[in-house]
Amino acid sequence: MRISKYLLGIWVAVAVYTLFSFLSGPKGMSAYNYLLSEREQQRYNIQTLGIINEELEKTRNNLLYDPDTLLIHARQMGYGSQDERFVRIVGLGINRTSPATAGNVYFAQNPDYISDRIIKIISLSLGLLVFAFFFTIEFLEKRTN
């Protein structure tokens, strides 16, 4: 029975290490859940980029195959036909449409976790604490006898 008390300290150290590693370690559940949320944000970003790509593809096809659309965009940029004359009013500038956005850059962040070294220190400390607790109890029992 005496040795099982001290083995309990080793068991506590292993149990604490396992629990902390599983819950908040580098490959634990908190890091895994964070990476799942990052994956969802990446999927949303890809979906948004797909929508922007479709709009830009439609605009490109209109400019390639529809001469009226090409004329409208050329006039917005300040161009005209050979037989047209322009009167430019100084100070108003050219009515340009804003350029199409190609999407936003999304930078993935590293998940927050407790390093393996800190988990080992915590588990070893708790194991030694349990070991010291049982050692002092046994020491006090022998001293009273």
Side-chain angles (χ1 to χ4, degrees):
M1 182 68 180
R2 178 179 166 189
I3 199 161
S4 65
K5 291 179 187 178
Y6 300 118
L7 289 177
L8 185 64
I10 295 172
W11 184 85
V12 165
V14 170
V16 167
Y17 177 77
T18 304
L19 184 68
F20 270 82
S21 293
F22 180 73
L23 294 178
S24 61
K27 296 180 183 177
M29 292 302 294
S30 65
Y32 180 74
N33 289 333
Y34 182 78
L35 290 175
L36 285 177
S37 67
E38 286 286 324
R39 183 180 71 174
E40 289 303 316
Q41 288 178 346
Q42 290 286 347
R43 284 184 180 169
Y44 175 74
N45 193 30
I46 289 171
Q47 197 174 37
T48 305
L49 290 175
I51 292 169
I52 291 171
N53 188 31
E54 287 176 6
E55 290 174 2
L56 290 174
E57 190 71 29
K58 288 177 187 176
T59 304
R60 178 184 162 268
N61 287 338
N62 284 340
L63 289 173
L64 283 176
Y65 302 115
D66 188 16
D68 294 333
T69 305
L70 185 61
L71 286 174
I72 291 171
H73 279 283
R75 283 197 180 107
Q76 286 178 349
M77 292 173 57
Y79 296 104
S81 301
Q82 291 177 350
D83 58 346
E84 289 182 336
R85 294 184 185 208
F86 287 102
V87 175
R88 296 194 188 223
I89 301 172
V90 178
L92 293 179
I94 301 173
N95 185 13
R96 294 187 183 189
T97 59
S98 61
T101 59
N104 296 327
V105 178
Y106 179 76
F107 296 103
Q109 303 293 326
N110 291 330
D112 291 330
Y113 58 87
I114 299 174
S115 71
D116 196 45
R117 183 177 183 182
I118 293 174
I119 293 174
K120 286 179 183 177
I121 291 170
I122 290 171
S123 63
L124 183 63
S125 299
L126 287 176
L128 288 175
L129 187 67
V130 169
F131 181 79
F133 175 73
F134 283 121
F135 183 75
T136 54
I137 287 177
E138 187 173 329
F139 179 74
L140 291 175
E141 284 177 356
K142 283 186 179 181
R143 194 167 179 197
T144 57
N145 290 339

